[in-house]
Amino acid sequence: MSSNITDPTLLSAEVVEDVWYVQQFAVPFEFPVVFTEDIFRPTNATLLDAMRRLEPDKRHKFLVFVDQGLLSVHADLIDRIKAYAEHNKAHVDLVAEPIAVPGGEKVKSDLHFVEDMQRALYENHIDRHSYAIAIGGGAVLDAVGLAAATTHRGVRHIRIPTTVLSQNDSGVGVKNGVNHYGQKNFVGTFAPPFAVLNDLDFAMSLGDRDKIAGMAEAVKVALIRDRSFYQWLEKNSDALAIFDRVAMAKMIRRCAELHMRQIGTGGDPFETGSARPLDFGHWSAHKLEGMTNYHVRHGEAVAIGIALDARYSVLSGLLEPGHEERICVLLEHLGFKLWTSAIEKKSPSGELVVVEGLRDFQEHLGGELTITLLQDLGVGVEVHEMDPALVAQSIDWLKERQSV
């Protein structure tokens, strides 16, 4: 039977009201986070098991991107990766020579690095059931993650973080991004990794400055979420200051656990709201990194930001006086310098340039300004305004401390 297109009820001149439908569905995400050592020892099954966990009977293709800085310390790494693939060739296929990419902020400074990685994934036929593996610090994980998330609308991405900072923080996150238009992480995605595999040997092979920098995130997450962990950091600060292997391993794992808990149970893993509690101390840190052309590294800037916000918390009446000094003493004992002259820089109008970081922070998420401060050791609290005068007083306090 054909439709009666002349049905007068269908040709009514009455105005039809808008019809709204609500499409709703939930997608569960899960990925393993593994702590191991000597991951490319041919008989270490960590990487092999990660690739085979959904399809154990399939031979899996993978392409590897390696942080160039890592190769200067581990000159045999590419050969070890190839030997690992050869030993396990019944199950995996390394489709091309591992590709070295710039480390640090350089890899995030220009989109052409991401485009080069996308081209490599295309030319080597990495599909949605194959793997893009990133080995390196947080910046490399961010950039490779963006390339993987935007190739075929998402190929499987395995992170092998190699710094303290990436193993205890960014590696377990669900964000990928690079810098653009002068803004940190302006271009990016939320795309959970397929697996995160942490090798303590990589973290322990870092130079002292990079090992120290990664500890800032441990202090940060302890201060906002876990008083007992903060007390553990104080108790074990001597061991951490000399990079004792057992203490470092425990610090990295506990820090990662707390980040995972926040992301998994905090109710906003893809940051659709206006709050980023895990970015305590970061509103000024991100600005300081750019203001110093990244000579102040991320962890170093976060340590300064933690000290600044701890003092602000006291001045605003949230935190008991004396706790900010206690926090600074711990950070300094771990090896941080809590001062850079860049934080005093002012605009032609006389405003502190670092205060622009508050606007950048708000604009990145939208909505109202939401900053995490401290109510107690282990207890973060969200506020929606920051007094520039109190920020200036906090900076003055930091300057006075470093001059004593």
Side-chain angles (χ1 to χ4, degrees):
M1 180 186 298
S2 62
S3 298
N4 181 6
I5 61 173
T6 61
D7 186 335
T9 62
L10 297 179
L11 299 178
S12 171
E14 295 180 9
V15 176
V16 178
E17 295 183 358
D18 291 346
V19 178
W20 287 57
Y21 297 94
V22 177
Q23 171 71 291
Q24 186 175 26
F25 56 85
V27 180
F29 289 98
E30 66 175 29
F31 54 90
V33 178
V34 184
F35 292 87
T36 186
E37 298 182 26
D38 196 9
I39 193 169
F40 291 111
R41 183 179 73 250
T43 55
N44 185 331
T46 301
L47 176 58
L48 182 65
D49 289 347
M51 284 193 279
R52 300 179 67 206
R53 69 185 179 91
L54 297 185
E55 299 144 337
D57 298 325
K58 178 180 177 180
R59 188 163 182 259
H60 296 279
K61 297 189 297 182
F62 70 104
L63 182 62
V64 178
F65 299 92
V66 184
D67 191 323
Q68 284 179 345
L70 191 64
L71 296 177
S72 65
V73 180
H74 299 272
D76 64 339
L77 180 56
I78 287 180
D79 288 338
R80 288 167 55 204
I81 295 169
K82 291 161 65 176
Y84 185 91
E86 177 64 22
H87 182 82
N88 295 287
K89 63 182 180 182
H91 305 292
V92 296
D93 176 20
L94 177 62
V95 297
E97 184 93 357
I99 299 170
V101 297
E105 290 298 317
K106 182 176 180 180
V107 76
K108 297 178 64 165
S109 65
D110 197 311
L111 285 173
H112 85 77
F113 292 118
V114 174
E115 292 170 350
D116 287 346
M117 288 185 274
Q118 290 170 326
R119 184 178 299 108
L121 294 169
Y122 164 73
E123 291 177 348
N124 288 285
H125 307 289
I126 296 297
D127 56 38
R128 291 173 60 86
H129 288 254
S130 304
Y131 297 91
I133 299 179
I135 307 173
V140 169
L141 303 185
D142 274 355
V144 177
L146 178 59
T150 51
T151 298
H152 293 305
R153 294 193 288 269
V155 301
R156 293 174 177 175
H157 172 45
I158 293 178
R159 297 173 179 163
I160 302 181
T162 60
T163 65
V164 173
L165 187 61
S166 58
Q167 290 188 3
N168 70 4
D169 178 14
S170 58
V172 300
V174 296
K175 295 183 285 189
N176 309 284
V178 298
N179 309 333
H180 204 38
Y181 304 120
Q183 296 291 312
K184 192 173 177 71
N185 297 320
F186 183 81
V187 177
T189 63
F190 286 97
F194 190 82
V196 181
L197 313 177
N198 300 284
D199 184 342
L200 184 63
D201 292 337
F202 285 132
M204 294 303 295
S205 71
L206 295 169
D208 289 358
R209 185 179 178 188
D210 287 314
K211 287 201 284 281
I212 292 167
M215 297 187 211
E217 297 291 349
V219 176
K220 173 210 73 178
V221 76
L223 280 171
I224 62 171
R225 288 293 182 265
D226 190 344
R227 184 186 182 97
S228 64
F229 181 43
Y230 179 80
Q231 293 170 332
W232 182 91
L233 291 171
E234 288 186 321
K235 182 179 179 180
N236 291 273
S237 60
D238 287 341
L240 292 168
I242 61 172
F243 314 120
D244 174 80
R245 189 178 182 92
V246 174
M248 292 290 286
K250 184 169 182 179
M251 180 271 293
I252 290 170
R253 288 198 302 270
R254 182 55 181 160
C255 186
E257 288 171 358
L258 289 170
H259 280 88
M260 290 168 64
R261 180 190 298 173
Q262 176 63 39
I263 294 167
T265 65
D268 192 19
F270 295 155
E271 296 181 358
T272 57
S274 299
R276 287 188 293 180
L278 290 177
D279 278 355
F280 168 61
H282 282 55
W283 72 263
S284 58
H286 286 166
K287 195 67 179 179
L288 283 173
E289 287 179 79
M291 289 168 64
T292 62
N293 199 26
Y294 299 97
H295 290 297
V296 174
R297 298 181 184 177
H298 179 71
E300 296 165 345
V302 168
I304 294 171
I306 289 171
L308 177 69
D309 284 354
R311 178 59 178 173
Y312 186 100
S313 297
V314 170
L315 293 178
S316 61
L318 292 169
L319 184 66
E320 181 182 336
H323 281 334
E324 81 278 46
E325 181 64 24
R326 179 177 173 179
I327 292 165
C328 288
V329 168
L330 172 59
L331 289 167
E332 288 170 334
H333 193 68
L334 293 175
F336 290 102
K337 181 180 178 182
L338 301 179
W339 179 254
T340 172
S341 59
I343 202 171
E344 291 185 295
K345 184 178 179 181
K346 293 186 177 180
S347 68
S349 66
E351 181 185 40
L352 285 164
V353 174
V354 72
V355 173
E356 296 174 2
L358 291 168
R359 289 192 289 271
D360 295 342
F361 202 77
Q362 180 179 5
E363 183 177 305
H364 187 62
L365 281 182
E368 64 181 337
L369 176 67
T370 304
I371 299 292
T372 299
L373 295 175
L374 294 179
Q375 186 173 312
D376 196 356
L377 300 178
V379 182
V381 60
E382 293 175 359
V383 302
H384 300 293
E385 60 181 5
M386 294 281 282
D387 184 343
L390 293 186
V391 172
Q393 291 178 37
S394 301
I395 291 172
D396 290 341
W397 182 80
L398 288 178
K399 186 175 184 179
E400 290 171 7
R401 286 191 77 263
Q402 65 90 35
S403 64
V404 174

